[in-house]
Amino acid sequence: MVNFRSQWRDLAGWAPYNLPLGTASNQAAKLYDATLDQLVYYYDDPTFGGVGGAMQRMLEEDPKFVAGNLLKHSMELFVTDSAGARTRFDKYCNTLDQEQLHDWEKKHLAAVRCLYHEDLVGAMNKYSEIALKYPHDTHSVSFGYVMGLINGHTSNLRDVPLSVVDQYKPHMPYYGLVHGKLCFGHAEMGEHEQAERAGRIALEAFPLDSWAVHAMAHTFENQSKPAEVIKILEETSKHWTRGVNFSQHIHWHQAGAHVQLGEYEAALTIYDTHMEKCARAGDVFPLSDASSLLMRLKIDGQKTGDREKMLAELWSKHNDEFTSLFYDGHSAFTAAMVGDTANLDKLLDNMREYIAGERKGWNKLVTTKHGVLLVEGIKLMGEGDYSAATDKLTECIPGVIKMMHGSKAQKSVFSLILIHCALMSGQKEHLCIAEQHMKELMEWNKVSTLPPLQRRLWDKIQYQHSKD
């Protein structure tokens, strides 16, 4: 039976990888390895009390461990982006003798400073540069990579793992991980054969890599092959369902494939059995999966009961955070699904304050360009004014798709909303906009066929044309 690692690299074990850890503690080095492993494979090892426990024990072993401290602060600033995280980082920097830092540590410090200032593009570039010089720095490879997803810099999802993959051999830690990352990057760039090849290597090397499983789902989803999505997820389910923190998102892909195939009860069963519980915790990532699935079902003409009511209430608690327009867009269309105009107005008011305020960063840029139009268009959809909604959304959706955080599969819900509004408007010019948008999406995905759900919408548009 395949298991996660239980043997961790001490100082001698790290030596071949050209990373000057800057600690004399073998135990701290091992705990650094254990912390990274749980982070990149999305699991919590109860031996340590999960990621947080391993990180805490690592810094107890060596409170001055620079790489360990910078890993901790990068996680806090990236995940929470709170004033408390910035205060703790300021306090830590005051204890550092920066002149004594190694080049590798200085580069990490500069990357964390970018996170401190919400400069996620700067952080992405700095982590990517570190990975190029230190290819076995799993922290930098992973952060440079995922920030390409967060910032809408899709090519980074391919280019970061591609820049290091030749430095990994089958006997090395994370040989499969890098190929799994490369699979997703190729898939997002429309390089389908390369994606599938990299994904197969990743899963053969380490079947418990849930990111690689997820990347293979994207590979087939981007090619409009929902049956293949279900097949790969069923074949690998004994691995990705083993207490992995990422499994709720893989369930979203599984449910979405069932929607594409018109298997609506199967999709709702997955939602009720797996996704609803994760969403109920109130974190924005599982909330976005849950809302997205229900929105797709509604656009496909299906009834979802009152499931979205709970989601809308939970989203309302996040309407002043503005960490990603992706999440704010999901909050908006969930409120629209339940007719919560007051919450949409509050989100818009808060968004305008955010745009006028002093915060900076990639999300500020994306929100300034497209956020108000997006939420106003979604609000109009919720009010049943599909003609005005289509006009608003046509202005912003192309930019949203290119710039916003998220994968092609995730962001496709906003395309579906535009197509739905155009179809409900019924105006010939709007129907033509929907057709053109679907053609552009096929070109973007480098495919010649629409996914089944989009095909059903296309057929409805053709029927509308036939009545003119």
Side-chain angles (χ1 to χ4, degrees):
M1 182 178 179
V2 181
N3 285 304
F4 292 107
R5 289 165 59 199
S6 59
Q7 300 296 315
W8 309 107
R9 288 174 285 182
D10 60 11
L11 292 171
W14 279 101
Y17 300 102
N18 191 34
L19 296 176
L21 289 190
T23 180
S25 168
N26 270 317
Q27 193 61 21
K30 289 181 178 181
L31 288 162
Y32 182 69
D33 198 15
T35 300
L36 284 171
D37 203 70
Q38 292 174 82
L39 285 172
V40 299
Y41 286 129
Y42 303 96
Y43 73 101
D44 287 316
D45 187 332
T47 305
F48 304 107
V51 174
M55 196 176 295
Q56 179 179 342
R57 287 170 59 180
M58 170 185 69
L59 295 175
E60 288 172 354
E61 290 290 337
D62 184 357
K64 295 183 178 181
F65 182 14
V66 174
N69 275 289
L70 292 178
L71 175 60
K72 171 179 175 287
H73 288 293
S74 68
M75 287 297 300
E76 287 191 351
L77 289 164
F78 181 47
V79 174
T80 65
D81 185 37
S82 66
R86 285 190 283 276
T87 299
R88 288 188 290 274
F89 181 63
D90 283 332
K91 183 177 179 181
Y92 173 68
C93 287
N94 289 336
T95 70
L96 273 179
D97 183 355
Q98 297 183 29
E99 294 300 318
Q100 299 301 312
L101 297 181
H102 185 276
D103 171 73
W104 180 58
E105 295 167 324
K106 288 179 180 178
K107 290 181 185 300
H108 267 275
L109 180 61
V112 180
R113 287 192 189 283
C114 289
L115 294 175
Y116 178 96
H117 293 292
E118 294 189 75
D119 180 9
L120 298 185
V121 175
M124 175 188 74
N125 291 333
K126 289 189 181 299
Y127 281 120
S128 300
E129 291 166 5
I130 299 170
L132 193 60
K133 187 170 183 179
Y134 300 94
H136 294 283
D137 177 0
T138 307
H139 180 187
S140 292
V141 170
S142 297
F143 269 53
Y145 177 82
V146 76
M147 286 180 192
L149 182 66
I150 298 299
N151 297 321
H153 287 60
T154 304
S155 60
N156 240 49
L157 295 167
R158 176 195 60 191
D159 295 345
V160 168
L162 195 60
S163 73
V164 303
V165 69
D166 288 343
Q167 302 301 315
Y168 285 76
K169 307 305 177 188
H171 69 278
M172 293 178 174
Y174 307 127
Y175 168 79
L177 179 84
V178 172
H179 281 89
K181 291 182 182 301
L182 186 57
C183 170
F184 183 63
H186 280 311
E188 289 296 288
M189 295 299 291
E191 297 159 356
H192 307 301
E193 290 184 10
Q194 297 98 312
E196 187 170 348
R197 183 164 55 248
R200 298 292 181 193
I201 292 171
L203 291 177
E204 183 177 346
F206 189 55
L208 289 177
D209 185 350
S210 59
W211 182 268
V213 172
H214 150 269
M216 287 293 281
H218 275 273
T219 298
F220 295 123
E221 188 167 345
N222 290 356
Q223 295 177 78
S224 305
K225 296 179 178 179
E228 291 295 318
V229 174
I230 292 172
K231 181 181 177 184
I232 189 71
L233 296 185
E234 287 179 347
E235 289 174 347
T236 58
S237 64
K238 65 180 180 181
H239 298 307
W240 61 263
T241 56
R242 281 180 53 187
V244 178
N245 299 330
F246 200 57
S247 61
Q248 57 84 18
H249 184 61
I250 299 177
H251 279 299
W252 174 76
H253 281 280
Q254 188 179 40
H258 282 295
V259 173
Q260 288 287 348
L261 293 173
E263 298 166 354
Y264 307 115
E265 286 301 318
L268 284 171
T269 297
I270 292 170
Y271 179 92
D272 293 337
T273 306
H274 302 289
M275 297 176 63
E276 190 268 349
K277 180 181 178 181
C278 293
R280 191 176 289 278
D283 295 331
V284 289
F285 183 31
L287 272 177
S288 70
D289 284 340
S291 292
S292 177
L293 181 66
L294 297 184
M295 187 77 244
R296 291 164 198 269
L297 283 161
K298 282 188 171 292
I299 288 172
D300 209 8
Q302 302 305 305
K303 295 180 180 179
T304 57
D306 62 354
R307 291 174 175 87
E308 54 268 27
K309 184 178 179 181
M310 180 267 289
L311 302 180
E313 291 172 356
L314 291 168
W315 274 119
S316 69
K317 300 174 183 178
H318 298 283
N319 69 9
D320 60 353
E321 294 174 353
F322 301 106
T323 57
S324 171
L325 182 59
F326 174 80
Y327 293 129
D328 296 327
H330 281 70
S331 177
F333 70 67
T334 308
M337 282 194 284
V338 300
D340 189 353
T341 304
N343 192 43
L344 278 163
D345 287 336
K346 182 64 174 176
L347 177 62
L348 278 167
D349 288 343
N350 290 345
M351 183 174 285
R352 292 186 178 104
E353 288 182 15
Y354 166 65
I355 290 169
E358 297 181 357
R359 286 174 61 185
K360 298 179 181 179
W362 180 255
N363 185 60
K364 176 73 170 287
L365 175 64
V366 178
T367 303
T368 301
K369 284 190 172 185
H370 305 298
V372 171
L373 273 174
L374 178 66
V375 177
E376 286 179 340
I378 289 170
K379 182 185 176 188
L380 287 164
M381 175 189 70
E383 294 169 348
D385 191 346
Y386 296 106
S387 178
T390 303
D391 290 337
K392 290 271 189 185
L393 295 171
T394 300
E395 286 188 61
C396 67
I397 290 296
V400 164
I401 296 299
K402 290 178 182 177
M403 297 180 69
M404 183 193 274
H405 154 198
S407 66
K408 288 181 177 179
Q410 288 175 303
K411 292 186 285 191
S412 68
V413 71
F414 296 103
S415 291
L416 287 170
I417 287 171
L418 170 59
I419 295 163
H420 170 68
C421 288
L423 180 59
M424 295 299 292
S425 162
Q427 296 181 29
K428 186 170 183 178
E429 62 181 293
H430 290 158
L431 298 176
C432 291
I433 286 170
E435 286 178 317
Q436 182 60 31
H437 187 63
M438 283 193 269
K439 291 175 183 177
E440 290 170 356
L441 290 175
M442 283 195 292
E443 291 177 7
W444 192 36
N445 283 324
K446 299 180 182 179
V447 295
S448 58
T449 57
L450 289 166
L453 168 54
Q454 284 85 332
R455 183 73 212 186
R456 292 192 285 275
L457 297 176
W458 176 275
D459 290 342
K460 290 180 180 179
I461 290 169
Q462 303 316 304
Y463 176 73
Q464 289 272 37
H465 278 314
S466 73
K467 296 196 301 182
D468 293 341

